[in-house]
Structure formats: structure tokens, C-alpha cells
């Protein structure tokens, strides 16, 4: 399970960093191409960065789908639980399990519908405008991210049934800082 957790985190971090870098390069390229320096303009205009925006949009879609699954696992999704927290413990627990099952069902259905769409579009010749990659690769983010999110809902539910605890995000906690401080002491 740790492997999947780390893969999820590294994929999100890589996509975020790469998209930021690509957009930065494209913006600097666009700015420098507009400078009235003839030799620089001539060289830069020959470099085509029109694909950068499309690639970053696709990277952010993948990042958002896997980020949503990460949010379920770590408890950082926004939730309105004022009424549920006021219920007696047995009723509260039943509503929490129902909510987690509903989330798993919904994301499982979205994943299945997304997989059907990817299968159908995979049998066409449709490609993206600038990158010219098959569109099924782009849309594969929907079933992959949705099924991972479904798995995370079920994982949280099983853990809740076993321990009675939900993942809770502590905004003041910095992961790895305790280890760093312990090593210096």
C-alpha cells in the first residue's frame, strides 16, 4: 500500500512541477520573442511552443484526478459534517459509512462510464490539436483517477469500520519535520 501512496504523491508532484516549468519556459519564450533584437527574434520564432498550453491542460487534468484520490486518502477534502457530528455515535457511524459507500459508488460509476468512453474513442483516429496524441490517452485520466478515488473511499471506509477513525488533515503538521527535529536533538 505504501508503494501506491508514494506513486500517487510522486505523480502529483511531478505533474505539478513539470507543468509549472513548461508554462514558465513558454512565457519566457513568448516575452523574449517580442523583444526588438533581430537575431534573438529570428532564433526564437523558429522554436514552436504552441503545444505547451495544451500539454499543461492535460497534465493538470491528470493531476486533479489523482489529487482528488489523494484528498480522500488524507482527509483534505471539504466536507459538511455539522449535522453528522451532532448525532449519537451509532447513527453517526452509519451515516459516515453510508457517505463513504456513496462516494465509492459514484466514483466507481464515473470510472466505468469513463472507461467505456475511452474504449470507444480508442477505436477512432481522434488526436489532440497541437500535440497530436491519441485522445484516449488524455481521457484515460477519468477512469484511472476515478477508480483510484473509489479505492480510496473503500480504503477509508474499511479503516473507519476497524478503528473508528477518519483521516484528518492537520494544517499545522509538516510531514518529515518531526524526523528532522528528532535527528538534531
Amino acid at each position: 500500500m505504501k508503494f501506491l501512496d508514494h506513486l500517487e504523491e510522486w505523480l502529483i508532484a511531478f505533474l505539478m512541477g513539470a507543468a509549472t516549468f513548461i508554462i514558465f519556459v513558454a512565457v519566457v519564450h513568448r516575452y523574449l520573442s517580442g523583444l526588438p533584437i533581430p537575431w534573438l527574434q529570428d532564433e526564437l520564432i523558429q522554436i514552436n511552443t504552441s503545444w505547451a498550453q495544451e500539454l499543461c491542460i492535460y497534465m493538470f487534468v491528470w493531476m486533479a484526478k489523482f489529487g482528488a484520490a489523494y484528498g480522500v486518502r488524507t482527509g483534505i477534502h471539504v466536507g459538511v459534517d455539522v449535522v453528522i457530528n451532532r448525532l449519537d455515535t451509532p447513527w453517526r457511524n452509519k451515516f459516515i459509512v453510508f457517505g463513504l459507500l456513496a462516494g465509492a459508488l459514484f466514483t466507481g460509476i464515473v470510472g466505468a462510464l469513463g472507461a467505456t468512453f475511452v474504449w470507444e474513442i480508442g477505436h477512432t483516429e481522434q488526436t489532440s490539436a497541437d500535440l497530436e496524441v491519441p485522445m484516449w490517452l488524455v481521457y484515460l485520466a477519468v477512469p484511472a483517477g476515478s477508480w483510484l478515488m473509489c479505492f480510496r473511499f473503500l480504503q477509508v471506509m474499511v479503516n473507519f469500520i476497524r478503528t473508528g477513525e477518519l483521516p484528518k488533515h492537520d494544517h499545522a503538521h509538516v510531514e518529515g519535520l518531526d524526523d528532522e527535529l528528532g535527528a538534531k536533538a
Side-chain angles (χ1 to χ4, degrees), residues 46-122:
Q46 293 177 9
I47 301 171
N48 180 12
T49 59
S50 64
W51 52 268
Q53 182 178 357
E54 183 177 287
L55 177 60
C56 287
I57 289 169
Y58 297 153
M59 291 172 83
F60 275 106
V61 167
W62 277 83
M63 183 180 54
K65 291 301 290 180
F66 283 86
Y70 174 80
V72 171
R73 176 173 61 93
T74 58
I76 59 176
H77 269 287
V78 175
V80 181
D81 56 1
V82 175
V83 174
I84 290 174
N85 287 337
R86 291 180 174 262
L87 295 173
D88 293 331
T89 302
W91 280 103
R92 177 184 174 273
N93 292 351
K94 289 175 185 174
F95 274 101
I96 289 172
V97 169
F98 174 77
L100 292 169
L101 278 173
L105 177 65
F106 176 75
T107 53
I109 290 170
V110 170
L113 294 174
T116 301
F117 181 75
V118 168
W119 177 261
E120 290 172 5
I121 204 167

Side-chain angles (χ1 to χ4, degrees), residues 4-84:
L4 182 60
D5 294 349
H6 290 301
L7 178 65
E8 186 179 58
E9 292 164 1
W10 278 102
L11 181 65
I12 294 165
F14 169 76
L15 290 171
M16 191 180 308
T20 302
F21 177 74
I22 290 167
I23 288 296
F24 173 77
V25 169
V27 168
V28 168
H29 174 266
R30 191 175 306 136
Y31 174 76
L32 293 177
S33 296
L35 294 177
I37 304 171
W39 63 270
L40 181 64
Q41 272 187 336
D42 294 340
E43 292 297 318
L44 290 176
I45 288 175
Q46 293 177 9
I47 301 171
N48 180 12
T49 59
S50 64
W51 52 268
Q53 182 178 357
E54 183 177 287
L55 177 60
C56 287
I57 289 169
Y58 297 153
M59 291 172 83
F60 275 106
V61 167
W62 277 83
M63 183 180 54
K65 291 301 290 180
F66 283 86
Y70 174 80
V72 171
R73 176 173 61 93
T74 58
I76 59 176
H77 269 287
V78 175
V80 181
D81 56 1
V82 175
V83 174
I84 290 174

